[in-house]
């Protein structure tokens, strides 16, 4: 399925070894533009250098996740400090892997929105410094656009396509018409799914079990759910069931499961660091709740695109991206509903679903080729922690008033 991607990885390996031996020859073989991308919007300091055909020439990532898991969630000040401490090393490591110097790149792309303000500032400041020092153009990148477009680096995916972005900070459905043309169909009105999985995993004290101790909450829930005996032990209410739009709400799921957890802890007389014995069934039910809600809203988006003729009926693709897309059960659930509407469901390997510098560099490559957003400096408005994605069609979806029945997905646990 990701043939081209694996070709790229293979080429990347070759590029590295060739590079160390013969830098000049390699530079001649690379496809322009060569873009260096920097990502610091949340808790990952990432940098990558990607060429015009999507070869990853060099990459480095410093993930703060394990530390934040230990500290009970992301602390923006700690994230800022760690970005500041690591950015120089991460960029130099990526360049070192590529055997390139800043003077060899055509442009520097950097995430400017959305994200944590003081985290974004570290990447932007560093990119500005490099651009000034080496006289390189800058390309501002929207983090969610980069998540949506990265699959095009690995696979020939024509516009338009639908994207479901599910991460620790976001949840949205959009139609991608072009590199700079996004139509927002729905988004979360409260928490993001990854945020809820992280919070409940923490409240469950999953990190006290050594296997899960350094894992992102969502990943821990997925692994624990795999050992469930009764995955539909708990029944939960489907969020926003009466609202005929594509918006999401995860706060109800969070409150419901926290209440259930407290009740079970009381029943078992759980104290201190102990964990309820049914934690695997509990995780499976939580994952099922998240999946059924995502599927219910996604099906309405597919129906809306059908009615409004927003997607070419001969090439129907839905991309699932963002950290929560790493979840096999959630992916299978989206695939299940997408199949019903003759869509092909696409996701990348986990390494490219979660935050990384590669998606920033690739978005820079696509923009550079189309001569979009190439600037010599940013102004203060370019950094926007709450920037929305694309043109807002949420009211149009509501006005279409399309009924969609809930799909029960527990059967997918047996497949
Ligand atoms: O896209 P990402 O790396 O950062 C944001 O922009 O938020 O996503 C991180 C989120 C975290 O909440 C993490 O728990 C979740 O993705 N995540 C998962 C899985 N792996 C990471 N959620 C569910 N299942 C997984 N396997
Ligand atoms: Zn992200």
């Amino acid at each position: 399925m990701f043939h081209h991607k694996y070709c790229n990885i293979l080429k990347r390996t070759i590029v590295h070894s060739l590079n160390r031996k013969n830098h000049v020859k390699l530079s001649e073989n690379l496809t322009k533009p060569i873009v260096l991308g920097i990502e610091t919007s949340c808790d990952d300091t990432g940098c990558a250098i990607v060429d015009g055909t999507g070869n990853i020439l060099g990459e480095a990532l410093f993930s703060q996740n394990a530390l934040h898991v230990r500290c009970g969630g992301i602390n923006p000040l700690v994230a800022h400090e760690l970005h500041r401490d690591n950015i120089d090393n991460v960029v130099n490591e990526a360049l070192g892997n590529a055997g390139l110097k800043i003077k060899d790149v055509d442009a520097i792309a950097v995430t400017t929105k959305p994200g944590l303000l003081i985290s974004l500032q570290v990447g932007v400041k560093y990119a500005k410094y490099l651009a000034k020092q080496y006289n390189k153009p800058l390309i501002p990148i929207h983090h969610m656009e980069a998540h949506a477009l990265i699959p095009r680096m690995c696979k020939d995916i024509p516009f338009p396509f639908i994207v479901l972005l599910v991460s620790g900070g976001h949840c949205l459905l959009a139609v991608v018409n072009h590199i700079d043309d996004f139509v927002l169909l729905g988004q979360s009105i409260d928490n993001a799914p990854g945020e809820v999985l992280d919070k409940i995993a923490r409240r469950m004290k999953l990190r006290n079990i050594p296997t899960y101790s350094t894992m992102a909450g969502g990943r821990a829930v997925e692994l624990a759910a795999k050992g469930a005996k009764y995955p539909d032990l708990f029944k939960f209410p489907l969020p926003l069931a009466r609202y005929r739009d594509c918006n999401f709400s995860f706060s109800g799921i969070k409150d419901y499961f926290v209440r259930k957890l407290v009740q079970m802890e009381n029943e078992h007389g759980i104290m201190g660091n102990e964990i309820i014995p049914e934690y695997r069934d509990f995780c499976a039910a939580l994952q099922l709740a998240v999946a059924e809600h995502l599927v219910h809203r996604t099906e309405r988006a597919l129906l809306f695109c059908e009615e409004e003729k927003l997607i070419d009926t001969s090439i129907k693709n839905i991309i699932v991206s963002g950290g929560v897309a790493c979840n096999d059960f959630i992916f299978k659930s989206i695939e299940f509903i997408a199949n019903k509407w003759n869509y092909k469901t696409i996701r990348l390997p986990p390494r490219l679903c979660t935050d990384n510098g590669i998606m920033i560099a690739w978005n820079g490559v696509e923009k550079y080729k189309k001569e979009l957003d190439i600037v010599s400096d940013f102004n203060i408005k370019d950094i926007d922690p709450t920037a929305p994605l694309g043109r807002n069609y949420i009211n149009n979806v509501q006005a279409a008033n399309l009924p969609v029945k809930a799909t029960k997905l527990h059967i997918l646990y047996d497949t």
Side-chain angles (χ1 to χ4, degrees):
M1 189 170 175
F2 298 109
H3 175 72
H4 183 53
K5 164 79 197 150
Y6 291 124
C7 285
N8 281 341
I9 287 175
L10 196 67
K11 275 192 254 171
R12 174 173 54 157
T13 318
I14 295 164
V15 162
H16 284 175
S17 51
L18 261 179
N19 204 16
R20 282 183 197 112
K21 285 187 201 134
N22 190 341
H23 178 216
V24 178
K25 188 165 168 235
L26 175 75
S27 299
E28 282 165 6
N29 289 339
L30 296 177
T31 322
K32 291 216 159 225
I34 297 168
V35 176
L36 180 139
I38 296 175
E39 158 64 31
T40 63
S41 69
C42 189
D43 60 345
D44 292 303
T45 318
C47 177
I49 300 115
V50 172
D51 82 354
T53 48
N55 289 308
I56 304 159
L57 308 179
E59 198 222 342
L61 185 76
F62 175 80
S63 175
Q64 307 175 3
N65 188 266
L67 191 129
H68 292 299
V69 168
R70 275 203 304 279
C71 298
I74 296 175
N75 176 334
L77 288 175
V78 174
H80 166 82
E81 217 164 282
L82 289 173
H83 282 310
R84 228 186 29 200
D85 291 350
N86 289 290
I87 184 101
D88 206 37
N89 283 342
V90 166
V91 171
N92 286 329
E93 196 185 321
L95 281 165
N97 288 342
L100 295 174
K101 303 232 178 310
I102 289 283
K103 69 171 176 50
D104 301 320
V105 310
D106 296 301
I108 296 160
V110 59
T111 310
T112 57
K113 58 185 147 184
L116 297 170
L117 177 65
I118 53 174
S119 290
L120 288 166
Q121 281 169 338
V122 177
V124 170
K125 201 170 155 194
Y126 195 84
K128 277 175 74 153
Y129 150 76
L130 288 181
K132 204 164 171 209
Q133 193 85 353
Y134 296 91
N135 194 24
K136 297 288 173 189
L138 286 161
I139 306 177
I141 304 291
H142 189 298
H143 180 85
M144 306 312 286
E145 292 181 5
H147 269 306
L149 292 166
I150 180 69
R152 281 169 52 81
M153 184 183 86
C154 312
K155 219 172 176 295
D156 188 15
I157 302 166
F159 296 116
F161 57 85
I162 296 179
V163 67
L164 171 67
L165 289 180
V166 274
S167 73
H170 298 272
C171 186
L172 57 86
L173 273 159
V175 179
V176 186
N177 286 321
H178 207 280
I179 300 158
D180 61 343
D181 184 1
F182 293 77
V183 172
L184 184 66
L185 302 176
Q187 63 188 349
S188 178
I189 57 170
D190 42 54
N191 304 114
E195 180 188 0
V196 165
L197 293 171
D198 291 346
K199 280 192 175 139
I200 299 182
R202 201 175 310 136
R203 177 62 190 76
M204 284 177 80
K205 299 167 274 185
L206 276 186
R207 67 173 182 275
N208 292 342
I209 301 173
T211 320
Y212 311 122
S213 63
T214 58
M215 233 176 242
R219 174 96 189 104
V221 168
E222 177 176 27
L223 272 193
K226 284 199 171 127
K229 280 207 182 105
Y230 307 104
D232 55 351
L233 189 65
F234 311 102
K235 303 280 176 267
F236 55 89
L238 190 70
L240 304 181
R242 286 166 201 264
Y243 292 85
R244 290 185 173 177
D245 57 28
C246 292
N247 284 339
F248 302 87
S249 169
F250 292 94
S251 68
I253 292 180
K254 185 185 69 196
D255 294 346
Y256 176 85
F257 278 92
V258 169
R259 266 201 314 274
K260 203 84 204 159
L261 183 60
V262 171
Q263 185 193 329
M264 291 168 77
E265 284 178 343
N266 288 339
E267 279 169 20
H268 287 295
I270 295 287
M271 312 272 273
N273 281 338
E274 292 167 356
I275 298 173
I276 53 162
E278 309 89 335
Y279 74 91
R280 294 185 185 87
D281 295 327
F282 191 86
C283 285
L286 167 63
Q287 187 175 253
L288 185 64
V290 170
E292 288 188 351
H293 181 40
L294 289 171
V295 161
H296 188 221
R297 315 318 278 182
T298 302
E299 186 167 14
R300 182 170 288 110
L302 302 183
L303 187 57
F304 178 76
C305 288
E306 203 85 3
E307 299 270 313
E308 300 290 317
K309 303 198 178 7
L310 298 183
I311 293 288
D312 184 343
T313 49
S314 63
I315 316 165
K316 302 206 285 188
N317 286 318
I318 176 162
I319 285 173
V320 193
S321 190
V324 179
C326 300
N327 187 294
D328 288 338
F329 183 81
I330 289 174
F331 179 75
K332 229 174 10 173
S333 303
I334 301 296
E335 199 173 38
F336 180 77
I337 210 66
N339 284 346
K340 181 176 152 190
W341 290 91
N342 297 320
Y343 273 77
K344 197 167 155 194
T345 319
I346 298 167
R347 75 167 162 176
L348 297 180
R351 185 68 199 75
L352 291 173
C353 283
T354 52
D355 289 352
N356 61 79
I358 301 168
M359 67 182 192
I360 308 306
W362 172 249
N363 199 178
V365 166
E366 291 222 273
K367 284 186 166 188
Y368 191 95
K369 285 184 184 169
K370 297 275 174 205
E371 297 182 11
L372 289 169
D373 296 341
I374 304 172
V375 297
S376 55
D377 198 1
F378 297 129
N379 64 46
I380 197 78
K381 278 203 308 246
D382 286 311
I383 303 183
D384 184 354
T386 58
L389 180 85
R391 288 179 278 144
N392 192 322
Y393 256 48
I394 293 176
N395 289 343
N396 305 44
V397 179
Q398 273 159 355
N401 198 26
L402 302 168
V404 172
K405 280 206 180 107
T407 304
K408 294 280 173 206
L409 295 165
H410 57 274
I411 42 156
L412 294 183
Y413 274 126
D414 303 325
T415 56

